[in-house]
Amino acid sequence: MRKEYTYISKNTLQYVYLHDCDCAHMYYAENCLIFEMEWMEILREHPQNPFSQAYQSGAGRIELFQPKIIECTLAIKDNKNVRSVEAIQELDYYGLEFLEYEQECRKSDGYYAELFLIFDRDSCYDNIFLKIEYQWSTVAWNTFNGVSWIECI
């Protein structure tokens, strides 16, 4: 993790709610799948959340180490085609929004996750669906900006 962050945690994605969170850039670098996040919802159970409620973070970063694509499809807007992505190095996209992030821990060989993200309306892509395995993850951010919207529902 190049940039310095105030809060950094390892393998705590189960305590981060990503639905509706904006991802400015998703890309592969140095054996990591990196998500540059505009914000995240840090649940009250997160070990670095000092509050009794979920809080929205400021800008942050998620890194999935030693990732391997199990399945990845990219929907293209204009012609409604779907393209498979097989090489993790191809993942380099801007302007995304998380709709789903489901993770499970596999004790012997890391983690498995399914992600569904949509693209900004200006993109030529509609959505990306990704099934991925990885060894470990980090979540990092600098600030807590206020009580999360999920506390209001």
Side-chain angles (χ1 to χ4, degrees):
M1 190 163 300
R2 288 188 190 103
K3 183 179 174 185
E4 294 295 320
Y5 289 94
T6 304
Y7 303 97
I8 301 172
S9 60
K10 184 176 178 181
N11 296 332
T12 58
L13 276 168
Q14 69 270 31
Y15 306 121
V16 179
Y17 188 69
L18 294 172
H19 181 75
D20 289 342
C21 292
D22 289 342
C23 174
H25 190 194
M26 173 181 71
Y27 60 100
Y28 177 81
E30 299 177 9
N31 207 19
C32 290
L33 183 57
I34 300 167
F35 300 87
E36 298 288 349
M37 302 298 296
E38 293 184 19
W39 77 87
M40 297 172 281
E41 307 297 337
I42 309 300
L43 300 177
R44 73 183 83 181
E45 298 85 3
H46 194 288
Q48 292 188 333
N49 181 351
F51 305 103
S52 62
Q53 295 180 296
Y55 261 63
Q56 186 179 92
S57 75
R61 182 174 171 128
I62 297 170
E63 294 180 343
L64 307 181
F65 290 86
Q66 299 175 357
K68 178 184 171 195
I69 291 176
I70 304 304
E71 179 184 344
C72 183
T73 56
L74 185 65
I76 302 167
K77 269 188 190 166
D78 292 341
N79 57 15
K80 306 291 185 206
N81 286 341
V82 175
R83 178 172 77 85
S84 289
V85 179
E86 295 181 14
I88 194 92
Q89 295 83 357
E90 290 182 47
L91 297 178
D92 188 5
Y93 301 106
Y94 291 87
L96 297 146
E97 178 185 332
F98 271 91
L99 290 187
E100 184 178 326
Y101 184 95
E102 297 291 330
Q103 171 192 270
E104 69 180 56
C105 177
R106 296 180 173 169
K107 296 198 185 312
S108 62
D109 63 345
Y111 295 85
Y112 168 83
E114 293 186 6
L115 297 73
F116 184 72
L117 299 95
I118 58 174
F119 286 87
D120 286 346
R121 77 179 111 215
D122 296 333
S123 175
C124 64
Y125 301 112
D126 185 52
N127 64 68
I128 187 167
F129 175 69
L130 177 63
K131 292 181 181 180
I132 190 168
E133 291 178 335
Y134 55 96
Q135 291 302 304
W136 74 93
S137 64
T138 59
V139 178
W141 71 96
N142 282 325
T143 61
F144 286 100
N145 291 344
V147 175
S148 171
W149 66 269
I150 62 175
E151 293 291 344
C152 302
I153 54 176

